[in-house]
Amino acid sequence: MHFWDEHKTITRYYEMKVSGVCEKYQLRQLEYDILMFIYNNPAYNTAADIVRIRKSTKSHVSTSLKVLEDCGFIERRVDKDNKKHVTIHLRRVKSISKLFCIEDLIHRGFI
């Protein structure tokens, strides 16, 4: 039981720290987390990878990816040989790099 109490505390602290970044870029927490995941794990670049590894629901990932695509943070590329295989790629690298600079400061405890 103690582990889960600590996990909740850490999760709330993380959400509190990144809330300013989310507000600035008008992102929801899951959208921010997906951007972080894609940036830090470029080999896992499909929606199915995100669902499988992050243990998120398909509907939430799909909705978040649509928002990120509409905002210009990501683009989806359809495989020429297999139309069902769609990969996700970051687009606004400069803006996203700023996000991750801020994220680095958060992890170091400066923000």
Side-chain angles (χ1 to χ4, degrees):
M1 200 65 172
H2 181 69
F3 168 78
W4 292 111
D5 293 337
E6 293 299 319
H7 182 267
K8 287 179 186 176
T9 302
I10 292 167
T11 302
R12 282 191 202 121
Y13 181 73
Y14 170 77
E15 289 171 353
M16 179 187 73
K17 287 294 191 178
V18 300
S19 65
V21 177
C22 290
E23 282 180 31
K24 180 178 179 179
Y25 290 93
Q26 298 177 344
L27 297 172
R28 284 181 262 152
Q29 184 68 47
L30 183 59
E31 294 159 4
Y32 177 82
D33 291 341
I34 288 173
L35 271 179
M36 293 288 294
F37 178 82
I38 295 168
Y39 183 82
N40 290 313
N41 303 284
Y44 300 108
N45 62 352
T46 66
D49 290 337
I50 297 168
V51 168
R52 186 180 75 248
I53 295 168
R54 289 197 40 84
K55 308 286 190 242
S56 299
T57 62
K58 290 180 188 179
S59 60
H60 287 132
V61 169
S62 177
T63 302
S64 294
L65 288 174
K66 178 69 175 138
V67 169
L68 292 171
E69 186 177 31
D70 290 345
C71 292
F73 283 107
I74 64 166
E75 68 178 342
R76 299 179 200 211
R77 297 181 190 154
V78 179
D79 189 347
K80 296 175 190 173
D81 300 327
N82 181 358
K83 302 288 183 198
K84 291 184 180 181
H85 186 74
V86 179
T87 55
I88 302 161
H89 302 273
L90 297 175
R91 287 189 65 205
R92 294 170 61 183
V93 178
K94 288 183 183 177
S95 295
I96 293 169
S97 293
K98 288 179 187 174
L99 281 174
F100 297 112
C101 288
I102 294 168
E103 178 66 18
D104 185 46
L105 292 173
I106 290 169
H107 283 299
R108 291 180 186 192
F110 295 121
I111 295 178

